[in-house]
Amino acid sequence: QVQLVESGGALVQPGESLTLACAASGAALDRYSVGWFRQAPGKAREAIICIGKFSATAAKGRFFSSRNIAKNTVSLQMNNLESEDTAVYYCAAQRNPACSLQETAYDDWGQGTQVTVSS
């Protein structure tokens, strides 16, 4: 089991960029696939992007994910943010090296970090 903590959530203006981090403890995150999800108020949680051992799959444009193996983190870079991107953002991990955009594939979840896009 791996423990995950997201950070970097903030209040930003439309058009700005923001990078979130998912820090892991208890295991080496490069052995896991990591997915990013978000949940807006009143809406179901949705997939954004996943990064596996060999590749990444994005459900949405403007979002990119990368690993920092030395820091045992995975980041989520979000560009040209829109008000519709306001949500709590979560990272999740699973042992399967092939990433998935399905929530049910993931065993371990962080507590989430709030991103608010507003002028």
Side-chain angles (χ1 to χ4, degrees):
Q1 187 176 9
V2 60
Q3 291 77 45
L4 304 173
V5 177
E6 302 92 338
S7 63
L11 170 63
V12 297
Q13 294 189 350
E16 292 185 340
S17 297
L18 186 67
T19 299
L20 306 181
C22 175
S25 60
L29 200 55
D30 62 341
R31 298 180 181 179
Y32 292 73
S33 297
V34 175
W36 284 94
F37 298 82
R38 70 184 184 186
Q39 187 166 21
K43 296 186 178 181
R45 190 156 55 187
E46 61 177 356
I48 302 169
I49 192 170
C50 63
I51 182 167
K53 187 173 180 62
F54 304 109
S55 63
T57 302
K60 298 186 178 295
R62 301 182 289 112
F63 294 85
F64 304 91
S65 186
S66 61
R67 297 181 185 272
N68 186 322
I69 295 176
K71 293 184 177 181
N72 207 24
T73 61
V74 171
S75 64
L76 174 67
Q77 180 181 342
M78 306 182 290
N79 299 320
N80 192 23
L81 286 163
E82 305 169 351
S83 58
E84 292 76 17
D85 296 318
T86 294
V88 177
Y89 285 71
Y90 300 89
C91 64
Q94 56 142 348
R95 291 300 298 264
N96 192 326
C99 75
S100 171
L101 294 174
Q102 300 299 318
E103 286 187 50
T104 55
Y106 292 89
D107 303 309
D108 302 300
W109 291 78
Q111 83 291 348
T113 186
Q114 176 71 46
V115 173
T116 303
V117 184
S118 175
S119 55

